[in-house]
Each structure stands twice: as C-alpha cells, then as structure tokens.
Amino acid sequence: MATQLRTPPGTPSREPLQGLSRQGLQPRGEVHWNLIPPELVEHAIRRGEGQLAAMGPFVAVTTPHTGRSPKDKFVVRSGASAADVEWGPVNRPMTVEHFETLAGDVRAYLDAAPDLFVEDVYAGAEPAHRLGVRYVTPNAWHALFVRNMFIRPTTTDLPTFNETYTVLHAPELHAEPDRHGTASGTFIVISFEHRTILIGGTRYAGELKKAMFTVLNYLMPKKGVLSMHCSANVGRAGDTALFFGLSGTGKTTLSADPERALVGDDEHGWSDVGIFNFEGGCYAKVINLSAEGEPDIYHTTEMFGTVLENVVLDPLTRAVRFADQSITENTRASYPLSYIRNHLPGGRAGHAKHVVFLTADAFGVLPPIARLTPEQAMYYFLSGYTAKVAGTERGVTEPKATFSACFGAVFLVWPATKYATMLGERLRRHGSHVWLVNTGWSGGPFGVGKRIPLAQTRAMVRALLSGALDNVATTRHPVFGLDVPNEIPGVPPGVLRPRESWTDVAAYDRQATQLAGMFRSNFERFRSRVDRSVTDSGPRA
C-alpha cells in the first residue's frame, strides 16, 4: 500500500473561511482547495485525465474541441451592463431566466462530482485593479492550467481570499439549446450582474482564460484602464514596448527578446500608473516549435508543471512531436511566467514608449515597417489587419484578409471605438511611438514571394526599440500613406520598398489597390464613430 503524505500540524489552511457557500454549491464529493502543481498532477494522473511527457510536462487532449467556440459565447442581458455592451455576433444576449436555469444545472453537475478542484487566483498585477477570481472545476489538470495562467495568492492570503468573480466549469455537461437558450451543447456564458461565468460542453482550456479576459475588457475601461490584447516587454533603461497582433503574426516570438524582460505575452492593462499584466502565465502555440527558433518557449515544454494541450507524443519515448498536426494545428503550452528566464517579476512596467502593430500580410503589399501618426494608429488599431494564406480548398488561390478590431474583436464588450479612443489618448499623453511591422510576404503574395526572414524582422524591431528610427529619413507609401524608413542596418533596401521587390510592378499596384479597398470597406462601420482625421488617415484610392 502506497504511503500517503500528510499535512504537518500547524500548516496554514489553503481553504477560505466561507467555503463554497457563496457559489451556491453543496458538493457531495471531496473538495480540493488551492492544490499546488505536484498535487494537481498526482490527481490528474490518478483520475486518468492525461499523461506525462518526457521531461515531466502534463499532456491533455481536448477533442473534439481543440480551440475556442466563439459562436457559443453569451452575455446575460440584464441590469446596468445591458446599456454598455455592444450586442451582436460577438456578444450574443442570453436572458436571465435561461442563465438561472443553466446555472442551476451546472451547480447540480458540480455537486455530484466525485472531486472538485478550487483555485483562488488574481487577475491583474496592479493591486489597485486586481480582481479575485474563484475557479471551480471537476478536473485536476484544468485547475493546474488556471494556476499556471493567473496570479497566485500567497499562502497567507488564502484564508481571507475574497473573490469578485466565480467561474463554474462543467466540461462534460452539455447544454440543451431549447432549455438553456444556447446555440449548441457548448456554452460560455458571462453574467456581469451575477459576477459569474459558466463554461461547459468543452474541455479546451483556453475558454477558462479568455472568458476572464472578456470580463476584464468590460470592467477595466469602467475604471479608466485600457484593456489590451497584446504582449509587453521592457528594456534595461525602463522603456516599455507593446506588441499587438493576431495569431501567426509573431506577437509572442518578437516580445521574447533576450535583451528585454518579458512583462507578459497576451493580456495587459494600461492605467494611469503604467502597463500591467492581467495574467501570471503564458499560453503559447507550439506547433513546429524548435529549440533553435524559440529556445525560451521550448525550454518550458521540458519542465514539470507545464500543461501541453493536444500535442502528439512518440509512443516509445513520450517525446513531443511538435510538427505533428494530427490532432490539431492549435497545439498549446501553458506555463507560469516565471518559467521564462528573462521575465519581469511583478508584471508591472512604465508607460509604453513604443507600440508595435504586427501583421502578416500574405498579399505581399505592405512595407515591413512603417511609422504611424496618432490618427493612423487609431485607424490601424481599429482595423486589426492580417492576412491568412490560401487554404487547401479547391479554387482558393488568393490570401484571405482578416480584420479584427483592436486585434481582439472576439473579446471586446464595449464598442471598439471606446478602446481605440482610450489608446489614442494615451499615445498622445505619453508621446508613444507607434509602428506597423509586417511579418508577412515580400516580392509577391503567398505562393510567389517569400516570407520576410525573422532575422530581418528582429533587426527592424530592435532598431525601433533602440530609438535609432525616431528621426530617420522616410518615404511615404503612395497608397497606404505610411512613412517607411529609407534604410535600416541589417535589412536590404529592397525589402523596405515592397513594390521594388516585385518583378511585375503592375501586379503589385493592382494588389495594393485591392487591399486598400478591403481596408476602406471594413472601416465603413467605424466612419460615423471616429473623427474624420482618423478616417482620412487610411489607404487612398
């Protein structure tokens, strides 16, 4: 019989005084409060929730859901928040009656679970804007994910922990659309009035993270804090940089710089004091990850406590096959920020000196780097552009433009122009320099040109962060009106002028005109809500 380790007498309790009564739960099984990673891994293995990979990370498979389900996200339409929310396809309304019925069924599901794992965590590194969040889940590995991703209270804080929001997680419970008002069996439901999030019908852990980001995107602007979907790092001189960008643009890669300390890789607030991380961990894509290309992230995938989602293991060695997409292309690693060697303890930095908008332009049109005016910054922030490469579908031969307002439209609650206005105010107040950096294609579109080498992109980013480009001579792009540096050390001049990199300049002109039209068409929905100077700063006909 295995020996069970027992808690020594006098050890501080990790269970808050009020228990789960405020969550309306009366669990019949065992409740595990604020377990640490070794304990959570032990339970996860005991319960058959996954397996250990070589070097110790825990591996979970979340099929059939291997990504977020944005069409299954709802916001309860009630109380004062009803007038604030930008209702539509991103924020679908749910009635209070449907929410209460669903919440009752979720509580019954959790009450009947043989085990419940509770993690009390903070969202927000700045104490003045910190949110206490209680996660309740029947799975140990999901509790480990939450513990990795958020800020962990000290042991002495736990007995008096006061949660502001509760997340009730029922991954195996499927909703009934007619009974619960959902679109399918999967549900992510946020009630600002009840200060509760219900998540079910999916094991994908990203929902636990992004649902709380949605809450912060509502609460922070009410407190005068700009909530941002971006990474952040800080130089030795205390200069802070923000990196906005959609998936595949290089946000995580470029913010992980050995010469700069990482503040965070995904979600931040900009307050009157400065930049602060919402999280205490990272959730990185690891498809095709290599020790040579991403050494810091690769190192975390060999550490105990890291959670790997939907990766494929070698059946003999249990080594991770990072190139294997047989489960999904969206393979992920969740790990504490402290696993990154060059991270910034405390997750707080000064006001942003540099702001970088990243795009992977598969049309091969945009310059690799350009300086933006404050008006252009608001225009490109609201546009949130990138272009995905042509897929394998028959007849699809051109890249597909993607516009996501504020580089995170699916997480916004207020109208996008509210966030853009707040960004513009901060850029002017703090004299921040704003740049558009294209990590996409040059010399032609995808299939004809080549992707701009990462080494050249790094050289451009390091030049702008050092201030070397603040007063450099520029040339204005004739269609997009962007000021492009004439030269940057380490970058071939032809790369800086994309039109010259095409063998057929007439084809470039047609492609540039086509993309400019896409920008203008997308921006029509914002035209009546922004100053004309912002609208006029976009691409020309």
Side-chain angles (χ1 to χ4, degrees):
M1 182 175 178
T3 301
Q4 184 175 358
L5 297 177
R6 298 190 179 277
T7 303
T11 301
S13 172
R14 291 181 288 195
E15 178 179 349
L17 299 176
Q18 78 280 5
L20 290 173
S21 58
R22 289 196 295 203
Q23 281 67 45
L25 293 171
Q26 296 179 327
R28 296 188 288 277
E30 187 170 359
V31 180
H32 307 274
W33 286 91
N34 296 302
L35 300 188
I36 60 176
E39 296 170 315
L40 291 170
V41 171
E42 288 169 354
H43 281 288
I45 296 297
R46 171 181 65 82
R47 292 167 45 84
E49 296 175 3
Q51 59 183 324
L52 293 180
M55 306 298 288
F58 182 82
V59 179
V61 176
T62 68
T63 53
H65 293 84
T66 56
R68 289 183 302 100
S69 301
K71 294 182 179 179
D72 292 308
K73 189 184 83 172
F74 294 85
V75 177
V76 179
R77 192 167 196 162
S78 66
S81 63
D84 300 331
V85 177
E86 177 88 322
W87 300 105
V90 171
N91 300 301
R92 294 171 173 80
M94 175 178 279
T95 66
V96 174
E97 293 73 21
H98 278 138
F99 170 79
E100 291 179 343
T101 300
L102 181 58
D105 290 347
V106 169
R107 291 189 178 99
Y109 166 90
L110 294 174
D111 283 342
D115 292 285
L116 285 183
F117 298 89
V118 184
E119 289 293 328
D120 292 329
V121 294
Y122 293 125
E126 188 171 305
H129 303 297
R130 177 173 287 172
L131 202 67
V133 188
R134 172 163 295 164
Y135 280 83
V136 184
T137 175
N139 289 343
W141 86 264
H142 282 113
L144 177 59
F145 173 88
V146 167
R147 190 174 180 86
N148 281 350
M149 294 312 305
F150 291 93
I151 299 168
R152 296 153 291 280
T154 63
T155 304
T156 54
D157 287 339
L158 289 175
T160 57
F161 182 86
N162 185 25
E163 75 279 6
T164 306
Y165 266 75
T166 295
V167 182
L168 300 180
H169 183 225
E172 306 298 337
L173 175 67
H174 291 269
E176 302 172 30
D178 291 341
R179 172 178 164 81
H180 298 123
T182 58
S184 72
T186 300
F187 57 92
I188 303 94
V189 182
I190 299 170
S191 173
F192 296 119
E193 301 305 311
H194 297 82
R195 296 187 299 184
T196 298
I197 300 173
L198 308 176
I199 299 175
T202 173
R203 290 188 294 271
Y204 181 66
E207 302 288 13
L208 296 166
K209 160 189 161 71
K210 290 302 186 183
M212 183 48 55
F213 183 43
T214 301
V215 169
L216 293 169
N217 272 329
Y218 175 65
L219 296 179
M220 290 297 108
K222 289 175 73 74
K223 300 176 70 176
V225 176
L226 172 61
S227 52
M228 305 174 293
H229 186 212
C230 68
S231 60
N233 64 25
V234 61
R236 293 185 177 91
D239 53 305
T240 305
L242 304 180
F243 297 82
F244 292 86
L246 301 175
S247 179
T249 59
K251 178 163 60 77
T252 299
T253 299
L254 293 170
S255 60
D257 187 330
E259 297 178 4
R260 300 175 64 84
L262 181 67
V263 182
D265 83 329
D266 198 48
E267 302 170 5
H268 292 83
W270 193 343
S271 71
D272 291 338
V273 177
I275 306 299
F276 65 97
N277 195 353
F278 285 163
E279 302 179 302
C282 302
Y283 191 42
K285 289 188 72 171
V286 295
I287 194 69
N288 295 319
L289 184 70
S290 69
E292 298 74 27
E294 300 279 2
D296 287 334
I297 297 175
Y298 187 89
H299 178 66
T300 70
T301 66
E302 297 182 326
M303 299 177 71
F304 181 85
T306 290
V307 173
L308 299 177
E309 262 189 319
N310 299 312
V311 301
V312 178
L313 300 181
D314 184 289
L316 295 178
T317 66
R318 291 205 189 177
V320 181
R321 294 175 172 174
F322 287 108
D324 195 323
Q325 303 183 29
S326 57
I327 297 178
T328 179
E329 185 269 342
N330 187 37
T331 54
R332 294 275 181 168
S334 162
Y335 48 89
L337 189 65
S338 59
Y339 280 19
I340 296 293
R341 285 168 286 192
N342 195 29
H343 75 283
L344 181 68
R348 301 166 65 190
H351 298 292
K353 181 178 180 180
H354 294 284
V355 177
V356 181
F357 296 156
L358 297 168
T359 179
D361 178 29
F363 291 96
V365 168
L366 292 178
I369 185 170
R371 187 166 54 203
L372 304 182
T373 66
E375 292 75 23
Q376 287 175 324
M378 290 183 64
Y379 184 96
Y380 283 92
F381 185 62
L382 283 169
S383 297
Y385 165 75
T386 193
K388 297 182 179 180
V389 300
T392 56
E393 191 176 331
R394 181 176 297 179
V396 178
T397 58
E398 292 187 347
K400 181 180 180 180
T402 299
F403 295 95
S404 181
C406 309
F407 297 96
V410 294
F411 313 120
L412 304 183
V413 180
W414 301 87
T417 49
K418 182 178 183 71
Y419 303 92
T421 299
M422 293 181 73
L423 177 66
E425 291 170 348
R426 282 156 177 75
L427 297 177
R428 291 183 176 89
R429 188 187 315 160
H430 302 292
S432 308
H433 301 281
V434 188
W435 304 85
L436 181 69
V437 173
N438 173 23
T439 62
W441 277 256
S442 179
F446 171 78
V448 177
K450 294 182 178 180
R451 187 116 192 216
I452 299 171
L454 177 59
Q456 294 179 6
T457 300
R458 286 194 187 279
M460 289 182 274
V461 170
R462 285 172 178 165
L464 72 87
L465 293 177
S466 71
L469 305 184
D470 289 354
N471 300 305
V472 73
T474 61
T475 299
R476 183 154 295 179
H477 192 283
V479 176
F480 289 86
L482 302 169
D483 291 327
V484 182
N486 291 340
E487 59 180 336
I488 299 176
V491 181
V495 174
L496 295 172
R497 295 181 282 275
R499 188 173 186 268
E500 296 178 12
S501 68
W502 285 49
T503 56
D504 185 348
V505 294
Y508 172 88
D509 292 340
R510 289 192 298 270
Q511 194 86 301
T513 300
Q514 178 185 359
L515 181 58
M518 294 178 188
F519 267 92
R520 293 195 300 274
S521 177
N522 171 73
F523 205 80
E524 280 298 316
R525 58 197 170 118
F526 304 121
R527 180 180 293 274
S528 63
R529 298 185 179 187
V530 299
D531 190 86
R532 182 173 178 177
S533 62
V534 175
T535 303
D536 291 347
S537 66
R540 298 164 175 78

